[in-house]
Amino acid sequence: MTDALTLQFDSLACQRDGRALFAELNLTAPAGTCVELLGANGAGKSTLLRTLAGLHSQYQGTFQSPPAVYQGHRLGLDELLTPLENLAWFAGLESCVFDQTKALALAARLGILALAHTPCGKLSAGQQRRVAMIRWVLSGRRLWLLDEPLTALDTHAQAWLNEIIAEHCQSGGSVVCATHTDLSVPLKTVLNLRPPPEQASW
Amino acid sequence: MVGALLLREWKILLRARASIVNPMAFLLLSTLLFAIAAPQLVAEPSQQASGILWVLVLFTQLLSLDAMFRRDYDSGTLEQSLIMADVPFVAVLIRIFVQWLGTGLVIVIATPVIGPLLGLSWSAVPGTMLALLLGTPALSLLGSIGAGITVGFSRGGIILALLVLPLFLPVLIFGTDIVNAAGAGLNYTAQAYWLALITLVALIVSPFAALAGLRISVEMQ
Amino acid sequence: MKLKQKLKEYWHKLGSPRWFYQITTNWVTFFGGSALLLLVTGFVWALAFAPADYQQGNSFRIMYVHVPAAMLAQSLYIGMGVAGFIGLVWRMKLTDVAIAACLPLGMVLTALALFTGGVWGKPTWGSWWEWDGRTVSTLVLLFLYVGIYALREAIPDADLRARASALVSLVGTVNIPIIKYSVEWWNTLHQSASFSLTEKPAMPAEMWLPLLVMVLGFYCFAGHHVLSRMRLEVLTRESSSRWVAELMLNKNAVDGTPQTSTTDHGKG
């Protein structure tokens, strides 16, 4: 049943300093699913996303995850480079040809076309986040791991974000999104992170 | 992949000129300090010049190593290159190479100016340039291990020095020996081979170790 | 083929904290007893019975501490490198405990080797400190130790601390031969012809036999020390598991040897 694009957790629990952060997770999310990750501050949402991205190695249980795009609190944009140059670098990392026409079209749609040649250091936080949104779409990877992507976005941009996520899922991509604000995406699965049972194992 | 990564590093190098200018300014400034503090040492060509020059080069490298991954770590591009790159190893190797371009290679080019200022005889300059050309890549490579593992610390400077300077010792020994031999008009082929060998070993070991260190640092956030 | 299978089984068992604890119970006693026996024998033999050196008189006797300390200090660092390699490749948590146990011991022994070297150097060389090849190598070793120590202090997360120190001790171990060779090269350039500790005339058996006993005694002591620390750490980490509880209960009734229980809460 499970193909390479399915996201699957088997009793997955992330740890920090030998301590489980949340109760064990079990999940099977086939391609096209949008998983909304909920939980209080400090529940381990960011750590779970970093684990899926391969940045955090302390966990119990197993998971299967296709290669993913990860968006953390640090956007990964170099402030000396323009949005287009940053996007070209991201394409280069994946050994893809940079599709500048598509990038410009997306920039126009997100209202930052005029800023395409301005160094990212001069962009506002919300504008930088829009540049990051373009890079998810341009990436060939089918799973997006988004850590509170609504931060610093105005109402327009929040609507665009929901649109982009919905389109991505429709075209067979998957999303795991940690958020405190509800996503208005059809067909989303909610995953709640609960504190672990008291008993310590190690 | 390599082309796009090099292009980005090249653009950043051009826009953040401080990464080249600062180490050179530090090297020149410490040369000045030596000339003031120990004028008898630098007044005429002497054997001491080789040692002073190499120690200054080591310190300049150390200063620049601290900044090697710092920008990329703070902006999040480092974690992105670990996740997104087809071969993260190549991304690390390119960063090390560019750091060497900005310090090691610039030092080699500046040797004809700085060497004589420190009391290096003119006849020793070509040998010194060769020694630095062979030795500074090893400093960048070995140093990248310490830089990678300490980039997550807010004040990692002293730990970086403790981790890295002992590893620099062989380069210092053969490097100064070449300069001395060149100054005395002796043959230094053997030492040059040894220095090249050290750089080769560093090239094989360091990028893997630096990558492992960077993964640890990224997980520290 | 069969031997390979057996070795593999043994290897996996070693990763299990509980199995490690049980198997090393006798080892600790063995190493501790041997260390005591060898060190006492060695000390008495070296100080009272070994003949005085015809050149150096009695001052050479510090060698019986200096040489074993220097040898063990280096072995412990290499041991840390090996443990680091195993820890990085097989993700075995016990290896970090081994590194944590070797580190302070190795650091103290390196300092002891430097100090006794100075004490020995004063009557033979005429100065406390001489920039001799071996002195420099040992000093570099001390800095390699201090570097890992400082790194460990700076990382609060246990898992990351383990990986970082494993990596650095492995890199240090790979570099030790290069450093030693280059320091020897440097030494031949700069050493004025003075009395060298390394090129002594061959020692008579009455002199080197007690040295051998002392070296073995030091190694047994290190074995005892490192294993004891590892066992203590295993108990602390596994304190909530059933086998430790059973062990503690049995400790009062039966002496030490844990009874076998059917469930294993160890992670290995």
Side-chain angles (χ1 to χ4, degrees):
Chain A
M1 277 303 278
T2 58
D3 58 42
L5 288 179
T6 305
L7 178 67
Q8 191 168 9
F9 304 160
D10 285 308
S11 322
L12 180 66
C14 298
Q15 295 174 318
R16 216 165 253 278
D17 228 352
R19 216 167 33 81
L21 291 173
F22 45 78
E24 289 179 354
L25 295 175
N26 287 293
L27 175 85
T28 304
T33 321
C34 173
V35 180
E36 200 176 77
L37 200 58
L38 301 178
N41 288 335
K45 298 189 295 294
S46 296
T47 310
L48 176 60
L49 291 174
R50 291 180 78 82
T51 305
L52 297 178
L55 295 178
H56 186 85
S57 61
Q58 304 169 54
Y59 57 87
Q60 281 189 325
T62 53
F63 68 90
Q64 179 211 314
S65 154
V69 170
Y70 166 76
Q71 182 63 73
H73 294 291
R74 302 178 196 204
L75 297 180
L77 302 174
D78 196 296
E79 55 182 23
L80 289 174
L81 299 181
T82 67
L84 280 184
E85 286 165 343
N86 270 305
L87 293 169
W89 175 70
F90 273 110
L93 276 181
E94 284 185 72
S95 301
C96 298
V97 182
F98 175 52
D99 188 346
Q100 184 157 341
T101 341
K102 196 174 170 191
L104 286 172
L106 282 161
R109 183 177 159 193
L110 295 176
I112 48 169
L113 185 58
L115 301 168
H117 293 286
T118 311
C120 280
K122 292 188 176 151
L123 268 53
S124 78
Q127 287 165 337
Q128 289 187 8
R129 289 212 164 245
R130 296 186 209 186
V131 177
M133 281 156 70
I134 299 177
R135 94 169 164 90
W136 313 336
V137 179
L138 290 182
S139 167
R141 301 196 172 180
R142 304 309 292 151
L143 172 65
W144 295 355
L145 305 167
L146 312 177
D147 198 351
E148 303 192 15
L150 290 160
T151 313
L153 293 185
D154 59 25
T155 38
H156 284 300
Q158 291 191 2
W160 289 325
L161 178 79
N162 282 315
E163 269 176 40
I164 280 182
I165 291 178
E167 282 168 21
H168 179 63
C169 291
Q170 249 157 34
S171 67
S174 309
V175 177
V176 181
C177 178
T179 179
H180 294 288
T181 322
D182 271 359
L183 293 174
S184 47
V185 177
L187 292 174
K188 64 180 183 185
T189 312
V190 174
L191 186 65
N192 231 317
L193 295 188
R194 292 189 179 79
E198 273 306 298
Q199 211 181 4
S201 65
W202 243 90
Chain B
M1 175 181 172
V2 176
L5 265 56
L6 277 175
L7 184 67
R8 168 184 182 265
E9 293 282 359
W10 178 245
K11 282 175 178 164
I12 292 175
L13 206 61
L14 289 184
R15 288 173 206 179
R17 279 176 291 265
S19 56
I20 296 184
V21 174
N22 291 357
M24 281 322 290
F26 174 80
L27 189 59
L28 276 169
L29 186 64
S30 11
T31 306
L32 170 75
L33 293 182
F34 254 106
I36 300 290
Q40 69 281 8
L41 271 186
V42 297
E44 53 197 55
S46 71
Q47 283 265 311
Q48 321 297 335
S50 62
I52 298 173
L53 177 67
W54 266 100
V55 170
L56 290 184
V57 167
L58 252 55
F59 284 159
T60 310
Q61 268 284 355
L62 200 59
L63 216 67
S64 151
L65 281 172
D66 196 37
M68 191 178 210
F69 299 111
R70 180 80 55 202
R71 276 190 78 238
D72 290 354
Y73 184 82
D74 289 341
S75 69
T77 43
L78 181 67
E79 60 184 25
Q80 290 300 338
S81 51
L82 294 185
I83 298 169
M84 303 295 288
D86 279 346
V87 197
F89 172 83
V90 173
V92 173
L93 199 59
I94 286 177
R95 188 79 271 278
I96 298 170
F97 174 64
V98 172
Q99 190 270 350
W100 175 76
L101 284 184
T103 49
L105 189 63
V106 177
I107 290 172
V108 173
I109 295 167
T111 308
V113 179
I114 289 170
L117 279 178
L118 281 171
L120 196 72
S121 65
W122 276 104
S123 58
V125 166
T128 309
M129 288 176 76
L130 177 74
L132 286 167
L133 193 64
L134 290 174
T136 47
L139 300 182
S140 292
L141 285 160
L142 291 170
S144 71
I145 304 173
I149 219 162
T150 56
V151 70
F153 305 156
S154 48
R155 272 180 303 240
I158 185 73
I159 298 177
L160 177 64
L162 275 174
L163 290 178
V164 155
L165 283 178
L167 306 183
F168 284 179
L169 208 65
V171 179
L172 179 71
I173 287 169
F174 288 109
T176 48
D177 202 19
I178 291 181
V179 178
N180 285 335
L186 300 171
N187 185 354
Y188 47 78
T189 327
Q191 292 94 313
Y193 275 128
W194 278 112
L195 206 50
L197 184 70
I198 291 169
T199 300
L200 206 63
V201 172
L203 181 65
I204 295 164
V205 175
S206 304
F208 289 104
L211 184 61
L214 287 170
R215 286 197 188 283
I216 295 170
S217 290
V218 163
E219 198 165 331
M220 236 176 259
Q221 306 189 349
Chain C
M1 243 6 240
K2 210 166 179 188
L3 181 75
K4 207 174 156 189
Q5 201 75 31
K6 199 115 190 179
L7 277 175
K8 212 173 167 186
E9 204 181 298
Y10 194 75
W11 182 249
H12 281 290
K13 272 187 176 171
L14 210 61
S16 146
R18 179 181 168 214
W19 194 82
F20 172 83
Y21 188 86
Q22 288 177 345
I23 195 81
T24 52
T25 310
N26 294 330
W27 298 6
V28 170
T29 326
F30 169 76
F31 279 129
S34 318
L36 194 69
L37 195 72
L38 288 166
L39 286 178
V40 169
T41 318
F43 258 114
V44 175
W45 193 352
L47 294 184
F49 295 103
D53 188 84
Y54 74 100
Q55 256 182 331
Q56 302 178 43
N58 277 324
S59 67
F60 91 102
R61 290 185 202 273
I62 191 119
M63 169 187 85
Y64 292 115
V65 178
H66 175 77
V67 173
M71 283 173 75
L72 186 54
Q74 215 173 83
S75 307
L76 281 171
Y77 195 92
I78 293 168
M80 280 166 59
V82 173
F85 179 75
I86 296 171
L88 284 178
V89 174
W90 286 282
R91 289 284 171 107
M92 228 180 247
K93 296 207 173 192
L94 269 178
T95 53
D96 185 55
V97 183
I99 290 179
C102 288
L103 181 57
L105 184 63
M107 207 150 60
V108 166
L109 284 170
T110 316
L112 182 68
L114 285 171
F115 174 72
T116 49
V119 172
W120 193 5
K122 182 64 183 160
T124 34
W125 287 336
S127 77
W128 292 98
W129 188 266
E130 200 69 32
W131 289 103
D132 152 84
R134 290 212 169 185
T135 319
V136 172
S137 290
T138 314
L139 191 61
V140 174
L141 186 67
L142 183 67
F143 285 126
L144 288 176
Y145 272 119
V146 171
I148 301 183
Y149 182 80
L151 185 70
R152 289 184 72 89
E153 290 291 297
I155 307 177
D157 184 295
D159 189 78
L160 297 176
R161 192 197 308 133
R163 280 162 63 193
S165 35
L167 180 66
V168 172
S169 36
L170 180 59
V171 169
T173 306
V174 171
N175 271 282
I176 279 183
I178 303 174
I179 295 175
K180 285 201 82 153
Y181 178 79
S182 60
V183 170
E184 264 166 41
W185 174 287
W186 170 84
N187 196 38
T188 52
L189 294 175
H190 296 265
Q191 183 74 348
S192 52
S194 70
F195 178 81
S196 168
L197 296 181
T198 54
E199 287 159 28
K200 269 192 304 291
M203 273 189 281
E206 307 92 82
M207 273 168 135
W208 65 256
L209 270 177
L211 181 63
L212 186 69
V213 172
M214 286 300 281
V215 168
L216 285 176
F218 266 67
Y219 274 84
C220 284
F221 170 73
H224 174 74
H225 176 84
V226 170
L227 280 178
S228 305
R229 299 253 322 225
M230 288 172 77
R231 283 160 57 82
L232 182 65
E233 182 65 25
V234 166
L235 283 189
T236 316
R237 287 192 186 183
E238 298 270 295
S239 55
S240 59
S241 71
R242 192 189 290 176
W243 71 267
V244 175
E246 280 175 4
L247 181 74
M248 289 300 134
L249 289 173
N250 289 345
K251 194 111 190 164
N252 299 327
V254 196
D255 182 34
T257 36
Q259 285 177 0
T260 43
S261 69
T262 41
T263 46
D264 190 353
H265 286 248
K267 259 187 69 179

